[in-house]
Amino acid sequence: MKALVFNGPGQIIYESFDDPKITKPRNLIIKVTKCSICGSDLHPYHGDKIAKIDFSQPVERFCTGHEMIGEVVEIGSDVYRHKVGDKILVSGGRGCGECRPCQMGQVNHCLGYIKGNSATVYGISNQLNGGHAEYFEVHNADLGAIGIPDGINDEQAILLTDALATGYYGVKMSKVKPGGTVAVFGQGPVGSMAVESAFAAGAAKVFAIEPVEFRRAKAALLGAIALHPDKAVRSIMEQTKGVGVDSVIDAAGKESSLKQATKIVKLGGHISVLGILQPGVQIPLNYLQLKSVSLHTGVTGIVDLWPELLPLVQNRKIKGEGVFTHQFKLSEGAEAFRVFDANEDGILKVMITPD
Ligand SMILES: [Zn+2]
Ligand SMILES: [Zn+2]
């Protein structure tokens, strides 16, 4: 098959790669119909270090991508919820399905693969191939994939594989309440989904902090009060009469945004950090302690949120409109990575279709 293959930092190449085979009875194979690039795919692209893998050193080539939907073409002997021909959306990360956290529905706390020193996120290392490909092996498919229900389009289905679940997770973990005030740092796809999710949770006022103008304009269209980071702290404190906001979601994951978050969160408020932090980021914990702020960091389990999220999307409480600004063919994947990384041309998110 053809796929986007990681050949080193900055070198994503559209080239031949071995067809995936079913390696475990609970796995299945899809023909990928659509896929997208996530901000976290840019870490290997930049040669960053993720967990124990240092991408500045040579690694074995692998297919990238953890946001994909497709049609089931082959199933393992222990797959019960899917059949050949089904259209499914796949969680960006896998759970072993056997450990206690997985059985409690907390796939993000899965112990199984960690014990085996194996990756949980697809397409971010040579341990687990991703779905920027014509065909893709879904692991533990009964747990990690779901049929695409009526009323959910391809764009929404892709958002449900990661970005929407992540934004929604931030809203849950920062305890957004009906009538509450919320601030979201970063208006990339995850931040944008956090804004929509906060309104769906009943937030009265949502501030969206973002340096890029068109992203602020998009946030304003969703009903948020969009602010440049340079003006955010002052403006939010003025607009909340010096109190600050109940909930902060940091989808930027930068030291600068975290410092601002500590200033605008109210006494007894909640901060959820979704952006993947690089080593050495400093957070003024002493300040948070004096304000009795609870700080949450984490990575969403995705699949455990689908039962709540699917109805919100089907009922159009969360729409995910206007997120996919650019379309590419799989053969143009290297260019898709380049434009997405360079933040060029008003790009927010790419939709990639196998040729
Ligand atoms: Zn992701
Ligand atoms: Zn597990």
Side-chain angles (χ1 to χ4, degrees), residues 95-99 101-102 110-113:
C96 72
E98 288 175 359
C99 70
C102 272
C110 172
L111 298 168
Y113 294 116

Side-chain angles (χ1 to χ4, degrees), residues 128-261:
L128 192 60
N129 281 309
H132 291 159
E134 290 175 307
Y135 293 93
F136 168 71
E137 183 186 21
V138 181
H139 292 244
N140 296 320
D142 285 346
L143 175 70
I146 191 166
I148 300 174
D150 290 343
I152 291 186
N153 62 34
D154 284 355
E155 296 189 348
Q156 292 164 332
I158 286 279
L159 290 170
L160 281 159
T161 67
D162 184 356
L164 172 51
T166 303
Y168 184 80
Y169 178 60
V171 164
K172 277 190 83 129
M173 300 316 283
S174 65
K175 307 202 184 318
V176 174
K177 298 255 163 30
T181 49
V182 182
V184 182
F185 285 90
Q187 285 299 296
V190 169
S192 185
M193 291 296 97
V195 168
E196 281 209 54
S197 299
F199 280 124
K205 211 175 245 187
V206 180
F207 299 97
I209 301 113
E210 163 64 51
V212 179
E213 190 180 355
F214 84 88
R215 292 186 174 192
R216 285 201 302 278
K218 166 133 193 3
L221 280 177
L222 295 174
I225 300 164
L227 299 167
H228 189 282
D230 291 348
K231 296 179 186 154
V233 172
R234 193 176 194 182
S235 179
I236 290 170
M237 293 316 284
E238 274 172 16
Q239 293 188 59
T240 57
K241 301 190 169 62
V243 172
V245 294
D246 303 313
S247 306
V248 180
I249 297 145
D250 184 2
K254 297 203 169 87
E255 196 165 295
S256 55
S257 58
L258 287 166
K259 285 200 169 127
Q260 291 192 320

Side-chain angles (χ1 to χ4, degrees), residues 17 19 72 78 83 93 112 177 189 191 194 229 249 259 298 303 335 343:
F17 198 89
D19 284 352
V72 179
D78 280 345
K83 60 182 190 308
K177 298 255 163 30
I249 297 145
K259 285 200 169 127
V303 302
E335 176 66 1
N343 222 338

